[in-house]
Amino acid sequence: MKRNIVIAAVTAAALIGGGTATALATTGDDEGSARQAATSQLSNDDVRDDRDDDAEKTASADVTASEAIASALKHTSGTVVSAELDDEDDSDKVVWTVDVLSGDNTWHSVSVDPANGKVLGSHTDDEDDTAQVRAALKGSSVTAGEAAKAAAGKGVVTSVDLDDDGKKKSWEAETRTSGGAEQDWKIDLASGKVTADRADAQDDDADHADDQD
């Protein structure tokens, strides 16, 4: 659009003055490259902002994942299936959200204060994968709390969740280092062995390759 305006203005000036003029305009390809570079820069800035926000959340949590799980179980007995440090209802308040499956197959979402470990509240949820979760945990000797403790040797645990898809069931944990780097881990349900999530690493490599393109 700007290119057309420049050409039109120069052409009009040439006609009025009775002379000739030469217009230099940015080509469409150059404009496209500029827009792509700007978009890429904005995307990178957004990623950095997200990482900074996540780092602040982690730094503000004095209560570890395993401690939050223990507090949730004191409030609501059952089996913890996941725990995550995240914003509460898209607000600025950060809490531990712990999902507990009780003995009567009722799902409870328990909010735990990351500063002191106090339970802030809880509510029941409707889930349709209860049988799948029970089947995945059958025979398991490693709890979510124990998985969180095992993964804590890799960094600050910001989430732990049951991976009940596929043949190989496991706990999944996300950690963050003091420098802000994130890493996903798998914790064996029987042995508690912690290994890097190779699938996650491959996804990150693919995303990086796409960014380079």
Side-chain angles (χ1 to χ4, degrees):
M1 182 63 72
K2 290 182 178 179
R3 177 175 178 272
N4 293 336
I5 293 174
V6 170
I7 293 175
V10 173
T11 302
L15 291 174
I16 294 172
T20 60
T22 301
L24 297 178
T26 302
T27 66
D29 289 343
D30 290 340
E31 289 179 353
S33 298
R35 283 195 297 270
Q36 184 177 2
T39 301
S40 177
Q41 181 62 42
L42 288 173
S43 177
N44 291 336
D45 289 344
D46 290 341
V47 170
R48 282 193 291 269
D49 289 342
D50 289 342
R51 288 178 178 174
D52 290 342
D53 290 342
D54 289 341
E56 290 179 5
K57 293 176 188 177
T58 305
S60 66
D62 295 325
V63 175
T64 65
S66 59
E67 291 171 342
I69 289 172
S71 294
L73 287 175
K74 287 181 180 179
H75 180 273
T76 305
S77 61
T79 301
V80 171
V81 180
S82 70
E84 181 178 13
L85 183 65
D86 203 358
D87 295 341
E88 183 179 35
D89 299 328
D90 296 327
S91 67
D92 292 333
K93 185 180 177 72
V94 178
V95 299
W96 280 108
T97 301
V98 184
D99 291 332
V100 182
L101 177 58
S102 64
D104 62 355
N105 289 335
T106 300
W107 287 87
H108 303 265
S109 180
V110 184
S111 298
V112 179
D113 193 319
N116 53 33
K118 292 183 178 180
V119 172
L120 301 173
S122 67
H123 63 269
T124 58
D125 283 333
D126 294 326
E127 300 287 348
D128 58 3
D129 61 345
T130 302
Q132 184 175 343
V133 168
R134 292 289 191 196
L137 290 174
K138 186 177 181 180
S140 171
S141 57
V142 178
T143 66
E146 291 168 341
K149 287 181 180 179
K154 305 296 184 179
V156 178
V157 178
T158 55
S159 72
V160 59
D161 188 24
L162 176 66
D163 179 10
D164 55 3
D165 294 329
K167 294 181 179 181
K168 187 64 174 178
K169 311 296 191 291
S170 66
W171 291 107
E172 288 185 336
E174 182 179 275
T175 61
R176 182 177 295 277
T177 65
S178 58
E182 295 178 353
Q183 176 65 56
D184 286 346
W185 307 89
K186 287 186 177 294
I187 301 93
D188 191 273
L189 290 173
S191 65
K193 181 180 180 180
V194 181
T195 56
D197 188 342
R198 296 185 181 278
D200 178 72
Q202 290 171 356
D203 290 342
D204 287 344
D205 290 342
D207 292 341
H208 180 70
D210 291 339
D211 291 340
Q212 294 297 320
D213 292 340

